[in-house]
Amino acid sequence: MRLVLLGAPGSGKGTQAARLKEHLQVPHISTGDLLRAEVAAGTPLGLEAKAIMARGDLVSDDILLGMLEERFSREDTRAGFILDGYPRNLSQAAALDALLKKLGVQFDAAVQLEVDNEQIIARLAGRAQAEGRADDSPESVRHRLDVYDRQTAPVIAFYRDHDQLTVVDGVGSLDEVFARIVKAIGREQAAA
């Protein structure tokens, strides 16, 4: 099973990805974690990324794609993967599609966790209070949601146009949302 998880900040992607990883027995690949690991390991792509980040610039799509290509070549991804944090824009979605075709890998679905923006703001306000996170203030969250909506709408359309989008209601208990995802991707049998 090869999945991309889509959802606004605070929609529960990370939490559900961790559960899906155990359920499907495939790696959860977060591009942020991947980038940090490559930098820490001192790989050629990691060193290039480190220099770019040291200048305060964003790592290019080409570097991220190179890291993903290397990651997809590892043995643990043969049965699949859960990709979180990528693609974030239309060019990344097209590049990922081309990479998977180049590798001869069948992509299964993009799962979009749908949560109303006001519910996300309330969720993250609770997290901000509990964890003391300034980046989860209502103003900051609204800005992040606006950016997400602008950048990700074309990605959602890309997967919808390719008949690969599955939209799941992300509101409810962790177990309820997880059960919806499992049902939507057709992996209910293994959930027992």
Side-chain angles (χ1 to χ4, degrees):
M1 179 67 52
R2 292 167 185 88
L3 301 174
V4 168
L5 281 184
L6 301 170
S11 64
K13 288 187 316 292
T15 301
Q16 294 300 335
R19 297 183 84 177
L20 283 168
K21 172 186 176 179
E22 294 303 315
H23 179 71
L24 298 172
Q25 294 295 298
V26 298
H28 167 211
I29 301 171
S30 160
T31 51
D33 292 346
L34 186 61
L35 186 59
R36 286 184 287 279
E38 293 284 325
V39 169
T43 66
L45 283 173
L47 293 173
E48 188 177 350
K50 183 177 181 179
I52 291 167
M53 292 185 301
R55 293 192 307 264
D57 294 329
L58 293 175
V59 175
S60 73
D61 289 352
D62 288 342
I63 291 174
L64 283 175
L65 200 62
M67 289 180 180
L68 284 172
E69 183 171 6
E70 189 283 324
R71 182 65 182 92
F72 292 158
S73 72
R74 296 185 201 163
E75 183 68 28
D76 68 338
T77 63
R78 289 203 181 180
F81 56 81
I82 302 158
L83 192 55
D84 175 13
Y86 189 96
R88 291 184 184 265
N89 58 49
L90 190 54
S91 65
Q92 289 179 351
L96 177 62
D97 188 54
L99 173 62
L100 293 177
K101 284 178 182 166
K102 172 184 162 186
L103 298 174
V105 173
Q106 177 65 41
F107 177 74
D108 293 298
V111 177
Q112 178 191 3
L113 290 179
E114 194 167 65
V115 180
D116 176 79
N117 282 357
E118 292 309 310
Q119 289 178 307
I120 288 174
I121 292 167
R123 276 185 189 181
L124 294 183
R127 184 172 85 179
Q129 188 173 24
E131 299 176 16
R133 291 181 55 159
D135 65 327
D136 284 341
S137 71
E139 300 77 27
S140 174
V141 171
R142 279 190 183 87
H143 175 72
R144 286 167 37 211
L145 290 172
D146 287 343
V147 170
Y148 174 82
D149 287 342
R150 281 193 313 273
Q151 290 182 346
T152 309
V155 174
I156 292 167
F158 175 89
Y159 287 117
R160 184 178 291 118
D161 292 347
H162 287 82
D163 293 323
Q164 295 172 317
L165 181 68
T166 299
V167 179
V168 174
D169 180 3
V171 178
S173 73
L174 296 177
D175 289 340
E176 290 168 339
V177 175
F178 180 72
R180 286 183 206 128
I181 294 169
V182 169
K183 182 177 182 182
I185 62 174
R187 294 298 172 128
E188 292 174 286
Q189 307 83 355

